[in-house]
């Protein structure tokens, strides 16, 4: 256990990382993964790597709990989720500290994510007893027979998540699955084990029966065992495309459905008629101020109309350069560390390639040293003159690097925005309402955000197409992911 001090916060002790299976809290006798604190570069915990036997046991327990949870009155399921939302909110300071330890999330970002997570849980708690359970498909009459659909929970859902927003990822998946009557085994990323520990404690405190929510900590092997287990009836995954390919291939063996929330290289299209001050602040904050550029839906390609390009790019670079980069424990820090040394290596390699490809760096562009040398700190980096065909234009960095490109007119903007394999989010800024409607319709993405509307809110579906995945989290669509439809017809009744 390691004590962590946050500015204006009492000393905080990291929880032991354990497997949470049914009513048991256990370590595994097998291997552990050394967790490295991204802010200091130093180890601070041993993460148990679940064995095949551990994963099998978790799935068996979840399957047993399914019959209990499915039969629990929906209003009671909903009430437990609403209580969980309140408990999560009551533990904001602890969750924020855990997120900071998990992945170096700056405290203010982490707190905002706790509020957002509570809202997602509350949203699906509200749905639990209002579920659209089915519909009448035909009525009995001359020559016809009465028929209806039943929407049924799958059973055990296997959830595998990544490291950039561990609590938020849980909140985007677990409440919807549980509201629909499923049970869950979740495998958090081995890089971020802490948030799931407190979440599991609060699930228990909220009165959700043991075995409905289980956690197996571990890496790729535990994830692979979980997704291919025959009693796991659906998989919900958040992570990268390479892993998604492996999971999809594993699930194809039994034709298991898979929800995939993958990466993005989202365009932020700024037309000359936009509110440029608001657009510049949004462009800089969204690229760097949310998890230091490490989130899937961020606008990491800034497409600017020719006539305002130079002035606008300079404005964004000035704002970016003003963001405080430093200890995630300090309340005014906007950008913390990136997750680990491999992230630094990837960012540095992509920046070297961008320079080779003729790009110019307006701000940032080199790892930070001095008192930040031991952690994994890379500053907000704005890169202009990015070649449309280059790696930086087309591939996800997953770090604080914003690629700026210019466009001539609306058709050019749309073509450039749609030129990657990804299709998660699209952002656009214009004061012309007709253009906003036209461009929103043409962007090949799962969501479009106009003039700075908030994204990833619980009531709206969120999900990608192409290399960004398939399926939705959020909204009624996010709930429907956790049902299968049975069609029932009666000869006579
Ligand atoms: P990753 O794919 O390497 O790992 C994600 C999870 O999968 C981890 O828990 C890992 O242990 C597990 N895993 C690895 N191999 C596995 C296998 N063969 N079978 C089962 N599980 C396995 O992803 P990453 O590099 O940690 O995360 C970064 C990616 O996640 C980026 O591409 C980012 O855009 C994406 N992401 C997407 C969203 C979204 O909602 N769309 C949100 C956050 C991050």
């Amino acid at each position: 256990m390691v004590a962590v001090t946050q500015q204006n916060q009492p000393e905080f002790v990291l929880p032991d990382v354990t497997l949470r299976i049914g009513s048991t809290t256990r370590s595994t006798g097998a291997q552990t993964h050394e967790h490295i604190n991204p802010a200091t570069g130093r180890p601070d915990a041993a993460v148990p790597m679940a064995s095949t036997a551990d994963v099998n046991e978790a799935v068996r327990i979840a399957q047993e709990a399914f019959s209990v949870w499915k039969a629990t009155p929906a209003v009671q399921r909903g009430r437990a989720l609403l209580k969980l939302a309140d408990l999560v909110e009551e533990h904001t300071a602890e969750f924020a500290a855990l997120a900071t330890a998990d992945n170096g999330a700056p405290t203010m970002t982490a707190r905002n994510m706790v509020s957002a997570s509570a809202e997602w849980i509350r949203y699906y708690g509200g749905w639990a007893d209002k579920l659209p359970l089915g519909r009448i498909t035909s009525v009995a009459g001359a020559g016809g027979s009465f028929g209806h659909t039943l929407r049924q929970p799958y059973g055990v859902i296997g959830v595998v998540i990544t490291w950039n927003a561990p609590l938020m990822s849980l909140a985007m998946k677990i409440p919807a699955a549980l509201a629909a009557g499923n049970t869950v085994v979740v495998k958090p990323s081995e890089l971020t084990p802490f948030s799931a520990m407190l979440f599991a404690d609060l699930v228990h405190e909220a009165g959700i029966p043991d075995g409905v929510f289980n956690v197996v900590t571990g890496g790729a092997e535990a994830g692979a065992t979980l997704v291919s287990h025959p009693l796991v009836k659906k998989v919900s995954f958040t992570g990268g495309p390479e892993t998604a390919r492996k999971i999809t291939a594993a699930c194809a063996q039994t034709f298991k459905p898979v929800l995939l929330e993958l990466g993005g290289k989202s365009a932020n299209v700024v037309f000359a008629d936009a509110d440029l001050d608001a657009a510049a602040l949004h462009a800089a904050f969204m690229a760097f101020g949310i998890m230091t550029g490490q989130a899937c839906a961020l606008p990491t390609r800034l497409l600017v109309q020719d006539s305002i390009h130079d002035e606008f790019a300079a404005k964004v670079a000035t704002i970016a350069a003003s963001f405080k980069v430093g200890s995630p424990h300090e309340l005014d820090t906007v950008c913390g560390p990136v997750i680990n040394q491999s992230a630094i290596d990837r960012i540095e390699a992509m920046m070297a390639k961008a320079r080779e490809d003729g790009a110019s760096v307006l701000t940032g562009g080199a790892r930070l040293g001095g008192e930040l040398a031991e952690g994994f700190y890379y500053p907000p980096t704005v890169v202009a003159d990015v070649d449309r065909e280059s790696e930086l234009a087309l591939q996800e960095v997953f770090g604080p690097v914003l690629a700026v490109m210019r466009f001539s007119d609306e058709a050019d903007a749309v073509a450039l925005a749609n030129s990657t394999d990804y299709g998660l989010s699209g952002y656009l800024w214009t004061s012309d309402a007709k253009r906003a409607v036209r461009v929103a319709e043409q962007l090949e993405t799962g969501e479009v955000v106009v003039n700075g509307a908030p994204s990833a809110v619980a009531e709206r579906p969120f999900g990608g197409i192409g290399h960004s995945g398939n399926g939705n989290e959020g909204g009624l669509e996010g709930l429907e992911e956790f049902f299968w439809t049975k069609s029932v017809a009666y000869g006579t009744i």
Side-chain angles (χ1 to χ4, degrees):
M1 284 200 252
V2 173
V4 180
T5 310
Q6 285 193 290
Q7 194 185 50
N8 305 324
Q9 294 291 315
E11 193 178 78
F12 180 77
V13 176
L14 286 176
D16 286 333
V17 180
T18 54
L19 278 61
R20 307 298 182 93
I21 300 177
S23 59
T24 67
T25 294
R26 53 176 112 159
S27 297
T28 167
Q31 298 162 326
T32 55
H33 168 86
E34 189 176 63
H35 181 267
I36 305 288
N37 184 323
T40 62
R42 287 195 286 274
D44 58 4
V47 180
M49 301 293 265
S51 64
T52 299
D54 293 326
V55 175
N56 289 345
E57 174 67 355
V59 175
R60 186 186 69 73
I61 295 277
Q63 176 66 26
E64 266 177 32
F66 176 52
S67 50
V68 175
W69 187 241
K70 185 184 168 190
T72 300
V75 68
Q76 208 172 311
R77 291 205 298 260
R79 216 176 283 145
L81 286 168
L82 294 174
K83 181 157 184 208
L84 177 62
D86 291 344
L87 287 169
V88 166
E89 217 154 43
E90 284 164 25
H91 289 77
T92 296
E94 290 98 315
F95 271 120
L98 290 174
T100 299
D102 262 332
N103 58 16
T107 300
M108 287 315 292
T109 309
R111 286 187 189 173
N112 290 337
M113 286 209 194
V114 182
S115 309
S117 300
E119 286 313 320
W120 276 73
I121 301 166
R122 197 165 281 129
Y123 176 79
Y124 283 113
W127 265 119
D129 61 350
K130 302 169 197 71
L131 299 175
L133 289 173
R135 64 186 179 87
I136 305 291
T137 49
S138 53
V139 289
S145 64
F146 176 60
H148 62 87
T149 60
L150 281 175
R151 277 172 157 166
Q152 309 222 277
Y154 282 94
V156 182
I157 307 293
V159 171
V160 178
I161 54 177
T162 184
W163 49 264
N164 70 329
L167 176 63
M168 191 75 186
S169 288
L170 290 172
M172 290 170 83
K173 293 178 188 294
I174 308 300
L178 299 195
N182 302 279
T183 58
V184 169
V185 177
V186 61
K187 195 208 78 64
S189 168
E190 61 276 35
L191 303 180
T192 50
F194 301 121
S195 299
M197 298 297 109
L198 179 55
F199 189 82
D201 291 343
L202 300 185
V203 165
H204 178 75
E205 199 178 328
I208 293 172
D210 290 337
V212 170
F213 174 77
N214 307 276
V215 183
V216 287
T217 55
E221 214 178 304
T225 306
L226 176 61
V227 301
S228 49
H229 195 293
L231 284 178
V232 169
K233 299 298 184 203
K234 179 159 185 174
V235 169
S236 178
F237 172 70
T238 298
E242 282 313 313
T243 308
R245 272 191 198 98
K246 291 182 195 157
I247 290 178
T248 304
C251 291
Q253 299 309 308
T254 52
F255 309 107
K256 191 179 293 183
V258 196
L259 165 68
L260 299 173
E261 294 290 355
L262 310 179
K265 187 80 184 178
S266 302
N268 185 7
V269 183
V270 181
F271 288 96
D273 63 4
D275 174 344
L276 297 181
D277 288 337
L281 196 56
H282 175 271
F285 186 75
M286 292 294 287
F288 307 115
I290 298 180
M291 282 311 301
T292 314
Q294 303 167 106
C296 52
L298 304 181
T300 52
R301 282 189 304 152
L302 180 59
L303 316 188
V304 189
Q305 195 154 21
D306 261 338
S307 59
I308 56 160
H309 175 276
D310 293 356
E311 184 198 345
F312 190 79
K315 197 190 275 266
V316 172
T318 304
I319 298 170
S322 75
F323 290 156
K324 178 176 167 184
V325 185
S327 164
H329 299 293
E330 287 163 16
L331 294 179
D332 55 348
T333 291
V334 179
C335 300
V338 296
I339 185 74
N340 55 19
Q341 182 60 44
S342 3
I344 290 280
D345 294 345
R346 185 184 62 247
I347 295 165
E348 286 182 333
M350 290 184 81
M351 284 300 298
K353 181 81 177 62
R355 286 181 168 108
E356 253 175 60
D357 290 338
S360 41
V361 178
L362 302 187
T363 185
R367 183 180 183 170
L368 296 173
E371 60 183 23
L372 298 179
E374 287 185 357
F376 309 116
Y377 290 93
Y378 202 90
T381 296
V382 179
V383 185
D385 305 314
V386 174
D387 184 325
R388 290 179 176 209
E389 303 297 322
S390 68
E391 181 189 55
L392 188 59
L394 300 173
Q395 300 304 324
E396 189 177 37
V397 179
F398 222 61
V401 179
L402 176 63
V404 188
M405 284 167 271
R406 60 176 78 231
F407 66 85
S408 51
D409 57 17
E410 197 176 301
D412 189 32
V414 169
L416 184 53
N418 289 340
S419 64
T420 75
D421 291 331
Y422 295 104
L424 192 52
S425 304
Y427 300 78
L428 75 106
W429 285 84
T430 178
S431 55
D432 178 340
K434 285 185 180 166
R435 171 185 282 163
V437 172
R438 265 193 322 264
V439 175
E441 197 275 325
Q442 291 177 81
L443 292 179
E444 292 163 4
T445 54
E447 71 166 352
V448 176
V449 173
V450 182
N451 290 343
S455 59
V457 290
E459 67 271 20
R460 288 209 304 264
F462 170 74
I465 58 171
H467 286 206
S468 295
N470 62 61
N472 282 292
E473 287 168 352
L476 181 55
E477 291 81 352
L479 191 64
E480 284 173 339
E481 294 285 352
F482 292 107
F483 291 115
W484 52 279
T485 299
K486 181 187 286 177
S487 180
V488 185
Y490 302 82
T492 50
I493 46 173

